[in-house]
Amino acid sequence: MAYRVAIGDRLRAGVLQVERWGILVDLGLPFNGFIDRLSIGDDLERFHPGLEIEVVVVQLAEYNHQVRVHLADSAELLGPATG
């Protein structure tokens, strides 16, 4: 991808939307990221728009500008997003 994002990169992300199928996050790129529900489990209640989290890039698809991410191992929930 032309935006210098690579699999394995750790990024801060702001939660934009929480849906039953997953979480849409702002990665500070021209397109958003997505956390699949299968990687989160049943604990969606702890996520809400505005929450800042740390994520790891797990999949890139340039044809549709899709970035799939998972929660980082530690300090996943960082608090309110700033900026």
Side-chain angles (χ1 to χ4, degrees), residues 2-62:
Y3 299 101
R4 299 179 191 256
V5 175
I7 292 174
D9 283 357
R10 291 175 76 101
L11 305 169
R12 285 182 173 245
V15 174
L16 295 173
Q17 190 173 345
V18 180
E19 298 292 342
R20 68 176 189 265
W21 56 84
I23 300 172
L24 189 64
V25 295
D26 178 4
L27 300 171
L29 300 171
F31 41 86
N32 296 322
F34 181 72
I35 305 173
D36 192 289
R37 171 73 183 263
L38 296 174
S39 72
I40 301 167
D42 292 329
D43 198 14
L44 281 178
E45 298 80 35
R46 67 184 180 147
F47 299 95
H48 54 83
L51 181 69
E52 188 173 293
I53 58 177
E54 189 170 350
V55 297
V56 176
V57 177
V58 294
Q59 184 181 29
L60 302 171
E62 190 170 355

